[in-house]
Amino acid sequence: MSLRPASVDDLGAIMVLERAAFGGDAWSDDVMRAELASPHTWYVAAEDEGRLVGYAGLRAPAGSRDADVQTIALDDSVRGRGLGREIFRALLDEARRRGVSEVFLDVRADNEPAQRLYTSEGFEAIGRRPNYYPGEGVDAIVMRLRVAAAPAAEGGVA
């Protein structure tokens, strides 16, 4: 498996994963296209034998001291192999390169595996959004990571 920056050219494959992962809460093609094209976001794609099997996005406008994890999704065929952590760390590396001091995210209160991942990467729960996920009555837990600055010569996904 390999990671690379995602682009608008990946929209079709990303939307297949988006719909499979999020069902009725999936973003529209237009929203995802805007995300991929925005100068304020950075998306990473994971490929396995030429097939897109995961993606994640970070919103970190130039000059901002904070960033938001927008989304992360994996194909069921690659779950449990460490790819989610690898993609997530790529987002955090990009946040450091952009000089961000805090990263925020929302996670479903009923998604314990994701919460464990985020906590193991240093995130802490700082709030709760009641009934955040429409139609399901599921709360979102707001989490934050205080980011250490990256060394100037640090590399990453190019």
Side-chain angles (χ1 to χ4, degrees):
M1 273 187 251
S2 62
L3 298 184
R4 62 168 175 77
S7 74
V8 173
D9 293 339
D10 297 309
L11 180 64
I14 285 174
M15 290 310 298
V16 169
L17 292 176
E18 174 78 8
R19 290 182 187 106
F22 302 113
D25 289 333
W27 290 355
S28 71
D29 288 27
D30 289 343
V31 168
M32 185 61 77
R33 182 180 295 105
E35 281 287 300
L36 292 166
S38 174
H40 303 297
T41 61
W42 185 80
Y43 275 71
V44 61
E47 289 183 323
D48 186 21
E49 298 180 8
R51 183 173 71 95
L52 197 128
V53 294
Y55 68 93
L58 179 78
R59 177 168 288 276
S64 179
R65 300 302 296 159
D66 60 75
D68 293 289
V69 173
Q70 296 291 86
T71 189
I72 183 168
L74 299 175
D75 187 86
D76 286 341
S77 69
V78 296
R79 290 186 186 278
R81 295 171 34 190
L83 182 59
R85 183 176 301 275
E86 187 177 351
I87 290 173
F88 191 62
R89 285 181 175 168
L91 293 183
L92 298 180
D93 288 345
E94 182 65 17
R96 288 181 186 94
R97 280 191 292 280
R98 291 181 179 222
V100 166
S101 58
E102 293 182 313
V103 178
F104 297 89
L105 60 80
D106 294 332
V107 61
R108 289 176 64 102
D110 61 358
N111 189 344
E112 292 180 20
Q115 290 174 46
R116 283 193 300 274
L117 168 64
Y118 304 146
T119 300
S120 74
E121 292 294 328
F123 279 75
E124 62 180 336
I126 61 168
R128 194 171 192 100
R129 298 176 200 257
N131 301 310
Y132 185 77
Y133 296 94
E136 300 176 57
V138 177
D139 294 354
I141 297 173
V142 180
M143 300 186 85
R144 175 186 62 205
L145 173 69
R146 295 179 196 268
V147 179
E154 184 175 321
V157 177

